[in-house]
Amino acid sequence: MNDQRPDGRGGRRGRKAREASTPARVVDYRNLRNPFPVMKLYSDDAIAGMHEAALTMLETLGMKILLREARRIFREGGARCDEASEMVWIGREMVEAALNSAPRSILCRAARRDRDVLLEPGTLVFQPGAGAPHATDLERGRRPGTATDFRELVQLTQHFDVLQMVPPLIEPQDVPMNVRHYFTMESQLTQSDKLPFIFSRGTPQVMESFEMLRDFRGLSDAEFETESHCYTIINTNSPRQIDIPMAQGLIDFARHGQVSIVTPFTLMGAMAPITVEAAMTLSHAEALAAITLTQLTRAGAPVCYGTFTSNVDMKSGAPAFGTPEHFRASLVAGQLARLIDLPWRCASGSAANINDAQAANETQFALWGCLMAGSTIIIHAAGWLEGGLTVSYEKLVTDMEILQMVAEMCRQPSAEGPAISLGALAEVAPGKHFFATEHTMSRYQTEFYEPLVADWSNFGSWTEGGEKTASQRATDIWKSVLADPPDLGHNQARVAAMQDFIAARSAAGGAVPES
């Protein structure tokens, strides 16, 4: 360690010389379990009371279900329906039966077995920001989302192991809606080997996406439907309504054994009551209605409970995220999810307009709400700005720092017990240092987490290096990732077959979204 400075950081020439021989630090960010004890905001009796209130709401107030087929399924399952008003009243016994048949554990198959995702209470899965109409970065500015943006963001999602699922990311608005599902599916399958997302925009698009995924994976119809190979996100139309494409998505995914993540998007003071307790009761009722539809369609269909509940700015009506109310709603959702004992989805996010301190504070505060609530899947955990209007390349990278640090906290202690090393303690005299001990020398290259974006140099070195901010360093990182895409070893015959499928279907007019 001749070139090591007293603060433990080597000089530039010494650091470069070591990089070539530095052993790789072994980490596993793919199979995480939440190590944090869950928090209770309310007593078990109070949470049971919210659940009972939600059941009463479904029985007495009902849900408006816009899809005729969904109303038929509810009616045949024992619900009371009124075709004129499109209202459905769901008995609590139907809900209880659905919760009993919904699986507690869901194994989702990715392209490779080491990319499979297990969804069950206690596991922890991260996704970046999703569903935004815009993308932004420091070099190209804020812009409507494009095909290039979507593909690049899939590549960035693929690069970071702490992101285990590919979400919808941004809308590629330069790709027409009738063929957009071909592009998003092809991009996910060729640029990533992680679990892909499929939009629920009507049966024709969903079935074609299933077909593309099935054939690209080399699966039979039976193999595809026996296990889960993709997922969708279902948002209810609060208050108390499920629209046509969302109801159809619940049915299509359930029938074919694929995962629906049910997520009422309830903003307190807008489409939900202003208090956390009332808003979460509404969200819970809507989620139970959607889960019941999946189980009436196919008992045992994979489905995740979920919520995305925050508040609005009562001065402007704009959504707010990373607030104390957002945190509290996540804790309540966790208690309700544990009551029904299903894997569940929560969300982070930020209302900030750029990747600044506000964006970091809101995202991290919301993230900790999800972690303390025991969430299985945390979406919008990286890159999400403007309350979901934009995904930022720089923010995606800077948020990776926090997610990787959380993943480090998920590491299990060594089976050999604590590395106390009395020998190292005995070797160093009082008042001396441990830099040169064998215990340090054998571990110093791999013992500590190596920061992705953070700059730990002193002020002088940082100044000499160009005084780059974290966002500027993040730009360098995402550009380097995109400049060196990995070889995923795809079967080129299947790639060609998929491209032929897309060309033929596109020439035939594609598939228009249903509404």
Side-chain angles (χ1 to χ4, degrees), residues 103 106-109 207 210 221-231 249-260 294 297-303:
I106 306 167
L107 179 60
C108 303
R109 295 298 194 183
M207 292 300 106
F210 284 170
D221 286 340
E223 289 171 331
F224 180 79
E225 296 187 9
T226 299
E227 296 184 300
S228 298
H229 302 273
C230 59
Y231 75 102
L250 289 166
I251 295 169
D252 290 339
F253 274 72
R255 282 177 175 164
H256 294 273
Q258 306 308 305
V259 179
S260 292
T294 68
T297 301
R298 174 177 171 176
V303 62

PDB file of all heavy atoms in Angstrom, residues 103 106-109 207 210 221-231 249-260 294 297-303:
ATOM      1  N   PRO A 103     -52.597 -16.807  -4.907  1.00  0.00           N
ATOM      2  CA  PRO A 103     -51.352 -17.391  -4.383  1.00  0.00           C
ATOM      3  C   PRO A 103     -50.558 -16.415  -3.534  1.00  0.00           C
ATOM      4  O   PRO A 103     -50.453 -15.229  -3.860  1.00  0.00           O
ATOM      5  CB  PRO A 103     -50.580 -17.784  -5.641  1.00  0.00           C
ATOM      6  CG  PRO A 103     -51.103 -16.875  -6.708  1.00  0.00           C
ATOM      7  CD  PRO A 103     -52.544 -16.635  -6.371  1.00  0.00           C
ATOM      8  N   ILE A 106     -45.417 -16.197  -5.836  1.00  0.00           N
ATOM      9  CA  ILE A 106     -45.460 -16.241  -7.297  1.00  0.00           C
ATOM     10  C   ILE A 106     -44.030 -16.268  -7.827  1.00  0.00           C
ATOM     11  O   ILE A 106     -43.258 -15.330  -7.591  1.00  0.00           O
ATOM     12  CB  ILE A 106     -46.194 -15.022  -7.883  1.00  0.00           C
ATOM     13  CG1 ILE A 106     -47.590 -14.870  -7.271  1.00  0.00           C
ATOM     14  CG2 ILE A 106     -46.282 -15.123  -9.397  1.00  0.00           C
ATOM     15  CD1 ILE A 106     -48.237 -13.524  -7.571  1.00  0.00           C
ATOM     16  N   LEU A 107     -43.684 -17.321  -8.533  1.00  0.00           N
ATOM     17  CA  LEU A 107     -42.371 -17.392  -9.179  1.00  0.00           C
ATOM     18  C   LEU A 107     -42.521 -16.929 -10.620  1.00  0.00           C
ATOM     19  O   LEU A 107     -43.233 -17.553 -11.417  1.00  0.00           O
ATOM     20  CB  LEU A 107     -41.816 -18.813  -9.132  1.00  0.00           C
ATOM     21  CG  LEU A 107     -40.450 -19.013  -9.807  1.00  0.00           C
ATOM     22  CD1 LEU A 107     -39.389 -18.138  -9.135  1.00  0.00           C
ATOM     23  CD2 LEU A 107     -40.039 -20.481  -9.776  1.00  0.00           C
ATOM     24  N   CYS A 108     -41.874 -15.835 -10.952  1.00  0.00           N
ATOM     25  CA  CYS A 108     -41.944 -15.259 -12.298  1.00  0.00           C
ATOM     26  C   CYS A 108     -40.695 -15.648 -13.074  1.00  0.00           C
ATOM     27  O   CYS A 108     -39.577 -15.402 -12.619  1.00  0.00           O
ATOM     28  CB  CYS A 108     -42.067 -13.740 -12.221  1.00  0.00           C
ATOM     29  SG  CYS A 108     -43.486 -13.165 -11.267  1.00  0.00           S
ATOM     30  N   ARG A 109     -40.899 -16.226 -14.242  1.00  0.00           N
ATOM     31  CA  ARG A 109     -39.797 -16.726 -15.050  1.00  0.00           C
ATOM     32  C   ARG A 109     -39.280 -15.658 -16.011  1.00  0.00           C
ATOM     33  O   ARG A 109     -40.034 -15.123 -16.830  1.00  0.00           O
ATOM     34  CB  ARG A 109     -40.245 -17.946 -15.853  1.00  0.00           C
ATOM     35  CG  ARG A 109     -40.615 -19.149 -14.998  1.00  0.00           C
ATOM     36  CD  ARG A 109     -39.422 -19.638 -14.204  1.00  0.00           C
ATOM     37  NE  ARG A 109     -39.664 -20.973 -13.648  1.00  0.00           N
ATOM     38  CZ  ARG A 109     -38.795 -21.608 -12.868  1.00  0.00           C
ATOM     39  NH1 ARG A 109     -37.649 -21.028 -12.531  1.00  0.00           N
ATOM     40  NH2 ARG A 109     -39.075 -22.811 -12.408  1.00  0.00           N
ATOM     41  N   MET A 207     -52.800 -10.312 -26.454  1.00  0.00           N
ATOM     42  CA  MET A 207     -52.589 -11.638 -27.035  1.00  0.00           C
ATOM     43  C   MET A 207     -51.388 -11.653 -27.984  1.00  0.00           C
ATOM     44  O   MET A 207     -50.623 -12.617 -28.006  1.00  0.00           O
ATOM     45  CB  MET A 207     -53.842 -12.088 -27.783  1.00  0.00           C
ATOM     46  CG  MET A 207     -55.038 -12.374 -26.883  1.00  0.00           C
ATOM     47  SD  MET A 207     -54.740 -13.671 -25.664  1.00  0.00           S
ATOM     48  CE  MET A 207     -54.594 -12.671 -24.174  1.00  0.00           C
ATOM     49  N   PHE A 210     -48.324 -11.641 -25.778  1.00  0.00           N
ATOM     50  CA  PHE A 210     -48.122 -12.988 -25.242  1.00  0.00           C
ATOM     51  C   PHE A 210     -47.487 -13.893 -26.296  1.00  0.00           C
ATOM     52  O   PHE A 210     -46.568 -14.671 -26.011  1.00  0.00           O
ATOM     53  CB  PHE A 210     -49.456 -13.594 -24.795  1.00  0.00           C
ATOM     54  CG  PHE A 210     -49.997 -13.068 -23.498  1.00  0.00           C
ATOM     55  CD1 PHE A 210     -51.287 -13.391 -23.087  1.00  0.00           C
ATOM     56  CD2 PHE A 210     -49.246 -12.243 -22.670  1.00  0.00           C
ATOM     57  CE1 PHE A 210     -51.805 -12.933 -21.887  1.00  0.00           C
ATOM     58  CE2 PHE A 210     -49.753 -11.767 -21.469  1.00  0.00           C
ATOM     59  CZ  PHE A 210     -51.036 -12.106 -21.081  1.00  0.00           C
ATOM     60  N   ASP A 221     -47.891 -23.387 -25.666  1.00  0.00           N
ATOM     61  CA  ASP A 221     -48.995 -22.690 -25.009  1.00  0.00           C
ATOM     62  C   ASP A 221     -49.143 -23.152 -23.559  1.00  0.00           C
ATOM     63  O   ASP A 221     -49.330 -22.335 -22.651  1.00  0.00           O
ATOM     64  CB  ASP A 221     -50.303 -22.940 -25.759  1.00  0.00           C
ATOM     65  CG  ASP A 221     -50.380 -22.169 -27.070  1.00  0.00           C
ATOM     66  OD1 ASP A 221     -49.642 -21.181 -27.214  1.00  0.00           O
ATOM     67  OD2 ASP A 221     -51.174 -22.560 -27.945  1.00  0.00           O
ATOM     68  N   ALA A 222     -49.048 -24.455 -23.355  1.00  0.00           N
ATOM     69  CA  ALA A 222     -49.207 -24.999 -21.996  1.00  0.00           C
ATOM     70  C   ALA A 222     -48.083 -24.535 -21.089  1.00  0.00           C
ATOM     71  O   ALA A 222     -48.315 -24.178 -19.922  1.00  0.00           O
ATOM     72  CB  ALA A 222     -49.253 -26.526 -22.048  1.00  0.00           C
ATOM     73  N   GLU A 223     -46.851 -24.530 -21.596  1.00  0.00           N
ATOM     74  CA  GLU A 223     -45.719 -24.072 -20.781  1.00  0.00           C
ATOM     75  C   GLU A 223     -45.855 -22.602 -20.431  1.00  0.00           C
ATOM     76  O   GLU A 223     -45.532 -22.191 -19.317  1.00  0.00           O
ATOM     77  CB  GLU A 223     -44.409 -24.314 -21.537  1.00  0.00           C
ATOM     78  CG  GLU A 223     -44.023 -25.782 -21.635  1.00  0.00           C
ATOM     79  CD  GLU A 223     -42.847 -26.001 -22.565  1.00  0.00           C
ATOM     80  OE1 GLU A 223     -42.676 -25.201 -23.520  1.00  0.00           O
ATOM     81  OE2 GLU A 223     -42.097 -26.972 -22.359  1.00  0.00           O
ATOM     82  N   PHE A 224     -46.344 -21.819 -21.375  1.00  0.00           N
ATOM     83  CA  PHE A 224     -46.511 -20.390 -21.113  1.00  0.00           C
ATOM     84  C   PHE A 224     -47.540 -20.156 -20.014  1.00  0.00           C
ATOM     85  O   PHE A 224     -47.332 -19.351 -19.105  1.00  0.00           O
ATOM     86  CB  PHE A 224     -46.941 -19.678 -22.399  1.00  0.00           C
ATOM     87  CG  PHE A 224     -47.130 -18.192 -22.239  1.00  0.00           C
ATOM     88  CD1 PHE A 224     -46.042 -17.341 -22.220  1.00  0.00           C
ATOM     89  CD2 PHE A 224     -48.400 -17.641 -22.097  1.00  0.00           C
ATOM     90  CE1 PHE A 224     -46.204 -15.966 -22.054  1.00  0.00           C
ATOM     91  CE2 PHE A 224     -48.583 -16.278 -21.936  1.00  0.00           C
ATOM     92  CZ  PHE A 224     -47.480 -15.436 -21.923  1.00  0.00           C
ATOM     93  N   GLU A 225     -48.653 -20.871 -20.061  1.00  0.00           N
ATOM     94  CA  GLU A 225     -49.747 -20.618 -19.125  1.00  0.00           C
ATOM     95  C   GLU A 225     -49.565 -21.310 -17.783  1.00  0.00           C
ATOM     96  O   GLU A 225     -50.245 -20.974 -16.812  1.00  0.00           O
ATOM     97  CB  GLU A 225     -51.079 -21.038 -19.764  1.00  0.00           C
ATOM     98  CG  GLU A 225     -51.421 -20.201 -20.989  1.00  0.00           C
ATOM     99  CD  GLU A 225     -52.798 -20.481 -21.543  1.00  0.00           C
ATOM    100  OE1 GLU A 225     -53.560 -21.208 -20.883  1.00  0.00           O
ATOM    101  OE2 GLU A 225     -53.123 -19.957 -22.623  1.00  0.00           O
ATOM    102  N   THR A 226     -48.648 -22.264 -17.714  1.00  0.00           N
ATOM    103  CA  THR A 226     -48.403 -22.961 -16.451  1.00  0.00           C
ATOM    104  C   THR A 226     -47.623 -22.094 -15.478  1.00  0.00           C
ATOM    105  O   THR A 226     -47.788 -22.189 -14.256  1.00  0.00           O
ATOM    106  CB  THR A 226     -47.654 -24.280 -16.689  1.00  0.00           C
ATOM    107  OG1 THR A 226     -48.457 -25.115 -17.519  1.00  0.00           O
ATOM    108  CG2 THR A 226     -47.369 -25.009 -15.384  1.00  0.00           C
ATOM    109  N   GLU A 227     -46.740 -21.231 -16.008  1.00  0.00           N
ATOM    110  CA  GLU A 227     -45.926 -20.356 -15.169  1.00  0.00           C
ATOM    111  C   GLU A 227     -46.075 -18.916 -15.653  1.00  0.00           C
ATOM    112  O   GLU A 227     -46.523 -18.667 -16.777  1.00  0.00           O
ATOM    113  CB  GLU A 227     -44.451 -20.778 -15.200  1.00  0.00           C
ATOM    114  CG  GLU A 227     -44.201 -22.155 -14.610  1.00  0.00           C
ATOM    115  CD  GLU A 227     -42.721 -22.493 -14.561  1.00  0.00           C
ATOM    116  OE1 GLU A 227     -42.096 -22.519 -15.630  1.00  0.00           O
ATOM    117  OE2 GLU A 227     -42.193 -22.735 -13.455  1.00  0.00           O
ATOM    118  N   SER A 228     -45.658 -17.986 -14.793  1.00  0.00           N
ATOM    119  CA  SER A 228     -45.769 -16.562 -15.121  1.00  0.00           C
ATOM    120  C   SER A 228     -44.477 -16.086 -15.783  1.00  0.00           C
ATOM    121  O   SER A 228     -43.392 -16.280 -15.247  1.00  0.00           O
ATOM    122  CB  SER A 228     -46.044 -15.748 -13.856  1.00  0.00           C
ATOM    123  OG  SER A 228     -47.271 -16.142 -13.273  1.00  0.00           O
ATOM    124  N   HIS A 229     -44.616 -15.446 -16.932  1.00  0.00           N
ATOM    125  CA  HIS A 229     -43.464 -14.981 -17.700  1.00  0.00           C
ATOM    126  C   HIS A 229     -43.475 -13.473 -17.937  1.00  0.00           C
ATOM    127  O   HIS A 229     -42.551 -12.946 -18.565  1.00  0.00           O
ATOM    128  CB  HIS A 229     -43.425 -15.698 -19.055  1.00  0.00           C
ATOM    129  CG  HIS A 229     -43.364 -17.185 -18.948  1.00  0.00           C
ATOM    130  ND1 HIS A 229     -42.183 -17.883 -18.823  1.00  0.00           N
ATOM    131  CD2 HIS A 229     -44.354 -18.118 -18.906  1.00  0.00           C
ATOM    132  CE1 HIS A 229     -42.438 -19.178 -18.731  1.00  0.00           C
ATOM    133  NE2 HIS A 229     -43.749 -19.354 -18.775  1.00  0.00           N
ATOM    134  N   CYS A 230     -44.508 -12.793 -17.468  1.00  0.00           N
ATOM    135  CA  CYS A 230     -44.609 -11.350 -17.663  1.00  0.00           C
ATOM    136  C   CYS A 230     -45.628 -10.815 -16.659  1.00  0.00           C
ATOM    137  O   CYS A 230     -46.261 -11.577 -15.922  1.00  0.00           O
ATOM    138  CB  CYS A 230     -45.037 -10.998 -19.086  1.00  0.00           C
ATOM    139  SG  CYS A 230     -46.641 -11.703 -19.550  1.00  0.00           S
ATOM    140  N   TYR A 231     -45.787  -9.518 -16.655  1.00  0.00           N
ATOM    141  CA  TYR A 231     -46.732  -8.907 -15.728  1.00  0.00           C
ATOM    142  C   TYR A 231     -47.321  -7.650 -16.340  1.00  0.00           C
ATOM    143  O   TYR A 231     -46.810  -7.102 -17.326  1.00  0.00           O
ATOM    144  CB  TYR A 231     -46.053  -8.582 -14.391  1.00  0.00           C
ATOM    145  CG  TYR A 231     -45.143  -7.364 -14.434  1.00  0.00           C
ATOM    146  CD1 TYR A 231     -45.558  -6.141 -13.913  1.00  0.00           C
ATOM    147  CD2 TYR A 231     -43.869  -7.419 -15.017  1.00  0.00           C
ATOM    148  CE1 TYR A 231     -44.740  -5.027 -13.956  1.00  0.00           C
ATOM    149  CE2 TYR A 231     -43.051  -6.310 -15.059  1.00  0.00           C
ATOM    150  CZ  TYR A 231     -43.484  -5.118 -14.533  1.00  0.00           C
ATOM    151  OH  TYR A 231     -42.670  -4.010 -14.575  1.00  0.00           O
ATOM    152  N   GLY A 249     -57.774  -6.414 -18.976  1.00  0.00           N
ATOM    153  CA  GLY A 249     -56.432  -6.855 -18.625  1.00  0.00           C
ATOM    154  C   GLY A 249     -56.437  -7.837 -17.473  1.00  0.00           C
ATOM    155  O   GLY A 249     -55.714  -8.848 -17.488  1.00  0.00           O
ATOM    156  N   LEU A 250     -57.235  -7.561 -16.452  1.00  0.00           N
ATOM    157  CA  LEU A 250     -57.344  -8.494 -15.325  1.00  0.00           C
ATOM    158  C   LEU A 250     -57.793  -9.869 -15.799  1.00  0.00           C
ATOM    159  O   LEU A 250     -57.264 -10.902 -15.372  1.00  0.00           O
ATOM    160  CB  LEU A 250     -58.331  -7.949 -14.295  1.00  0.00           C
ATOM    161  CG  LEU A 250     -57.872  -6.728 -13.478  1.00  0.00           C
ATOM    162  CD1 LEU A 250     -59.056  -6.103 -12.764  1.00  0.00           C
ATOM    163  CD2 LEU A 250     -56.787  -7.106 -12.479  1.00  0.00           C
ATOM    164  N   ILE A 251     -58.768  -9.893 -16.704  1.00  0.00           N
ATOM    165  CA  ILE A 251     -59.302 -11.158 -17.206  1.00  0.00           C
ATOM    166  C   ILE A 251     -58.275 -11.870 -18.087  1.00  0.00           C
ATOM    167  O   ILE A 251     -58.019 -13.069 -17.926  1.00  0.00           O
ATOM    168  CB  ILE A 251     -60.607 -10.904 -17.981  1.00  0.00           C
ATOM    169  CG1 ILE A 251     -61.688 -10.373 -17.038  1.00  0.00           C
ATOM    170  CG2 ILE A 251     -61.076 -12.171 -18.691  1.00  0.00           C
ATOM    171  CD1 ILE A 251     -62.915  -9.840 -17.751  1.00  0.00           C
ATOM    172  N   ASP A 252     -57.674 -11.137 -19.035  1.00  0.00           N
ATOM    173  CA  ASP A 252     -56.720 -11.755 -19.967  1.00  0.00           C
ATOM    174  C   ASP A 252     -55.511 -12.325 -19.242  1.00  0.00           C
ATOM    175  O   ASP A 252     -55.071 -13.449 -19.528  1.00  0.00           O
ATOM    176  CB  ASP A 252     -56.266 -10.730 -21.011  1.00  0.00           C
ATOM    177  CG  ASP A 252     -57.356 -10.350 -21.994  1.00  0.00           C
ATOM    178  OD1 ASP A 252     -58.319 -11.139 -22.144  1.00  0.00           O
ATOM    179  OD2 ASP A 252     -57.261  -9.259 -22.599  1.00  0.00           O
ATOM    180  N   PHE A 253     -54.962 -11.565 -18.307  1.00  0.00           N
ATOM    181  CA  PHE A 253     -53.774 -12.037 -17.602  1.00  0.00           C
ATOM    182  C   PHE A 253     -54.119 -13.215 -16.693  1.00  0.00           C
ATOM    183  O   PHE A 253     -53.337 -14.165 -16.571  1.00  0.00           O
ATOM    184  CB  PHE A 253     -53.115 -10.896 -16.833  1.00  0.00           C
ATOM    185  CG  PHE A 253     -52.147 -10.102 -17.658  1.00  0.00           C
ATOM    186  CD1 PHE A 253     -52.608  -9.249 -18.653  1.00  0.00           C
ATOM    187  CD2 PHE A 253     -50.782 -10.225 -17.476  1.00  0.00           C
ATOM    188  CE1 PHE A 253     -51.721  -8.535 -19.450  1.00  0.00           C
ATOM    189  CE2 PHE A 253     -49.881  -9.514 -18.265  1.00  0.00           C
ATOM    190  CZ  PHE A 253     -50.352  -8.671 -19.256  1.00  0.00           C
ATOM    191  N   ALA A 254     -55.281 -13.173 -16.044  1.00  0.00           N
ATOM    192  CA  ALA A 254     -55.680 -14.288 -15.191  1.00  0.00           C
ATOM    193  C   ALA A 254     -55.893 -15.553 -16.011  1.00  0.00           C
ATOM    194  O   ALA A 254     -55.433 -16.649 -15.631  1.00  0.00           O
ATOM    195  CB  ALA A 254     -56.947 -13.929 -14.422  1.00  0.00           C
ATOM    196  N   ARG A 255     -56.580 -15.444 -17.132  1.00  0.00           N
ATOM    197  CA  ARG A 255     -56.854 -16.611 -17.969  1.00  0.00           C
ATOM    198  C   ARG A 255     -55.576 -17.292 -18.449  1.00  0.00           C
ATOM    199  O   ARG A 255     -55.538 -18.512 -18.609  1.00  0.00           O
ATOM    200  CB  ARG A 255     -57.706 -16.204 -19.163  1.00  0.00           C
ATOM    201  CG  ARG A 255     -59.179 -16.014 -18.842  1.00  0.00           C
ATOM    202  CD  ARG A 255     -59.949 -15.542 -20.051  1.00  0.00           C
ATOM    203  NE  ARG A 255     -61.383 -15.479 -19.760  1.00  0.00           N
ATOM    204  CZ  ARG A 255     -62.269 -14.828 -20.502  1.00  0.00           C
ATOM    205  NH1 ARG A 255     -61.859 -14.161 -21.595  1.00  0.00           N
ATOM    206  NH2 ARG A 255     -63.551 -14.824 -20.169  1.00  0.00           N
ATOM    207  N   HIS A 256     -54.543 -16.511 -18.663  1.00  0.00           N
ATOM    208  CA  HIS A 256     -53.316 -17.061 -19.228  1.00  0.00           C
ATOM    209  C   HIS A 256     -52.202 -17.211 -18.197  1.00  0.00           C
ATOM    210  O   HIS A 256     -51.042 -17.438 -18.557  1.00  0.00           O
ATOM    211  CB  HIS A 256     -52.866 -16.200 -20.402  1.00  0.00           C
ATOM    212  CG  HIS A 256     -53.819 -16.236 -21.556  1.00  0.00           C
ATOM    213  ND1 HIS A 256     -53.752 -17.196 -22.548  1.00  0.00           N
ATOM    214  CD2 HIS A 256     -54.891 -15.457 -21.851  1.00  0.00           C
ATOM    215  CE1 HIS A 256     -54.731 -16.996 -23.420  1.00  0.00           C
ATOM    216  NE2 HIS A 256     -55.434 -15.942 -23.022  1.00  0.00           N
ATOM    217  N   GLY A 257     -52.537 -17.086 -16.916  1.00  0.00           N
ATOM    218  CA  GLY A 257     -51.579 -17.382 -15.861  1.00  0.00           C
ATOM    219  C   GLY A 257     -50.477 -16.363 -15.695  1.00  0.00           C
ATOM    220  O   GLY A 257     -49.419 -16.685 -15.137  1.00  0.00           O
ATOM    221  N   GLN A 258     -50.695 -15.137 -16.135  1.00  0.00           N
ATOM    222  CA  GLN A 258     -49.682 -14.098 -16.017  1.00  0.00           C
ATOM    223  C   GLN A 258     -50.074 -13.109 -14.904  1.00  0.00           C
ATOM    224  O   GLN A 258     -51.228 -13.017 -14.520  1.00  0.00           O
ATOM    225  CB  GLN A 258     -49.488 -13.393 -17.352  1.00  0.00           C
ATOM    226  CG  GLN A 258     -49.183 -14.344 -18.503  1.00  0.00           C
ATOM    227  CD  GLN A 258     -48.024 -15.309 -18.213  1.00  0.00           C
ATOM    228  OE1 GLN A 258     -46.922 -14.881 -17.867  1.00  0.00           O
ATOM    229  NE2 GLN A 258     -48.278 -16.611 -18.334  1.00  0.00           N
ATOM    230  N   VAL A 259     -49.087 -12.355 -14.414  1.00  0.00           N
ATOM    231  CA  VAL A 259     -49.250 -11.597 -13.179  1.00  0.00           C
ATOM    232  C   VAL A 259     -49.923 -10.246 -13.422  1.00  0.00           C
ATOM    233  O   VAL A 259     -49.497  -9.470 -14.284  1.00  0.00           O
ATOM    234  CB  VAL A 259     -47.881 -11.367 -12.498  1.00  0.00           C
ATOM    235  CG1 VAL A 259     -48.049 -10.539 -11.218  1.00  0.00           C
ATOM    236  CG2 VAL A 259     -47.211 -12.694 -12.182  1.00  0.00           C
ATOM    237  N   SER A 260     -50.942  -9.972 -12.633  1.00  0.00           N
ATOM    238  CA  SER A 260     -51.527  -8.632 -12.561  1.00  0.00           C
ATOM    239  C   SER A 260     -51.122  -8.001 -11.230  1.00  0.00           C
ATOM    240  O   SER A 260     -51.284  -8.614 -10.178  1.00  0.00           O
ATOM    241  CB  SER A 260     -53.063  -8.686 -12.625  1.00  0.00           C
ATOM    242  OG  SER A 260     -53.505  -9.102 -13.892  1.00  0.00           O
ATOM    243  N   THR A 294     -59.965 -11.389 -10.791  1.00  0.00           N
ATOM    244  CA  THR A 294     -58.965 -12.343 -11.295  1.00  0.00           C
ATOM    245  C   THR A 294     -59.267 -13.755 -10.818  1.00  0.00           C
ATOM    246  O   THR A 294     -59.143 -14.721 -11.589  1.00  0.00           O
ATOM    247  CB  THR A 294     -57.537 -11.955 -10.853  1.00  0.00           C
ATOM    248  OG1 THR A 294     -57.390 -12.107  -9.435  1.00  0.00           O
ATOM    249  CG2 THR A 294     -57.192 -10.534 -11.255  1.00  0.00           C
ATOM    250  N   THR A 297     -62.198 -15.309 -12.536  1.00  0.00           N
ATOM    251  CA  THR A 297     -61.811 -15.688 -13.893  1.00  0.00           C
ATOM    252  C   THR A 297     -61.051 -17.008 -13.892  1.00  0.00           C
ATOM    253  O   THR A 297     -61.328 -17.908 -14.697  1.00  0.00           O
ATOM    254  CB  THR A 297     -60.946 -14.595 -14.530  1.00  0.00           C
ATOM    255  OG1 THR A 297     -61.680 -13.363 -14.564  1.00  0.00           O
ATOM    256  CG2 THR A 297     -60.529 -14.977 -15.944  1.00  0.00           C
ATOM    257  N   ARG A 298     -60.108 -17.131 -12.970  1.00  0.00           N
ATOM    258  CA  ARG A 298     -59.305 -18.357 -12.872  1.00  0.00           C
ATOM    259  C   ARG A 298     -58.784 -18.457 -11.444  1.00  0.00           C
ATOM    260  O   ARG A 298     -57.898 -17.692 -11.045  1.00  0.00           O
ATOM    261  CB  ARG A 298     -58.153 -18.331 -13.866  1.00  0.00           C
ATOM    262  CG  ARG A 298     -57.182 -19.505 -13.748  1.00  0.00           C
ATOM    263  CD  ARG A 298     -56.119 -19.418 -14.832  1.00  0.00           C
ATOM    264  NE  ARG A 298     -55.054 -20.395 -14.622  1.00  0.00           N
ATOM    265  CZ  ARG A 298     -54.028 -20.588 -15.455  1.00  0.00           C
ATOM    266  NH1 ARG A 298     -53.940 -19.862 -16.563  1.00  0.00           N
ATOM    267  NH2 ARG A 298     -53.096 -21.481 -15.192  1.00  0.00           N
ATOM    268  N   ALA A 299     -59.324 -19.358 -10.676  1.00  0.00           N
ATOM    269  CA  ALA A 299     -58.887 -19.531  -9.295  1.00  0.00           C
ATOM    270  C   ALA A 299     -57.396 -19.869  -9.264  1.00  0.00           C
ATOM    271  O   ALA A 299     -56.928 -20.730 -10.010  1.00  0.00           O
ATOM    272  CB  ALA A 299     -59.685 -20.639  -8.618  1.00  0.00           C
ATOM    273  N   GLY A 300     -56.671 -19.174  -8.402  1.00  0.00           N
ATOM    274  CA  GLY A 300     -55.231 -19.376  -8.307  1.00  0.00           C
ATOM    275  C   GLY A 300     -54.418 -18.524  -9.252  1.00  0.00           C
ATOM    276  O   GLY A 300     -53.188 -18.624  -9.285  1.00  0.00           O
ATOM    277  N   ALA A 301     -55.087 -17.661 -10.031  1.00  0.00           N
ATOM    278  CA  ALA A 301     -54.355 -16.773 -10.944  1.00  0.00           C
ATOM    279  C   ALA A 301     -53.409 -15.878 -10.149  1.00  0.00           C
ATOM    280  O   ALA A 301     -53.762 -15.374  -9.083  1.00  0.00           O
ATOM    281  CB  ALA A 301     -55.329 -15.920 -11.747  1.00  0.00           C
ATOM    282  N   PRO A 302     -52.182 -15.656 -10.667  1.00  0.00           N
ATOM    283  CA  PRO A 302     -51.209 -14.832  -9.936  1.00  0.00           C
ATOM    284  C   PRO A 302     -51.613 -13.368  -9.928  1.00  0.00           C
ATOM    285  O   PRO A 302     -51.857 -12.772 -10.975  1.00  0.00           O
ATOM    286  CB  PRO A 302     -49.910 -15.056 -10.714  1.00  0.00           C
ATOM    287  CG  PRO A 302     -50.355 -15.399 -12.098  1.00  0.00           C
ATOM    288  CD  PRO A 302     -51.636 -16.165 -11.941  1.00  0.00           C
ATOM    289  N   VAL A 303     -51.684 -12.792  -8.747  1.00  0.00           N
ATOM    290  CA  VAL A 303     -52.091 -11.399  -8.615  1.00  0.00           C
ATOM    291  C   VAL A 303     -51.409 -10.805  -7.391  1.00  0.00           C
ATOM    292  O   VAL A 303     -51.219 -11.492  -6.386  1.00  0.00           O
ATOM    293  CB  VAL A 303     -53.628 -11.274  -8.509  1.00  0.00           C
ATOM    294  CG1 VAL A 303     -54.163 -11.979  -7.270  1.00  0.00           C
ATOM    295  CG2 VAL A 303     -54.080  -9.820  -8.557  1.00  0.00           C
TER     296      VAL A 303
END
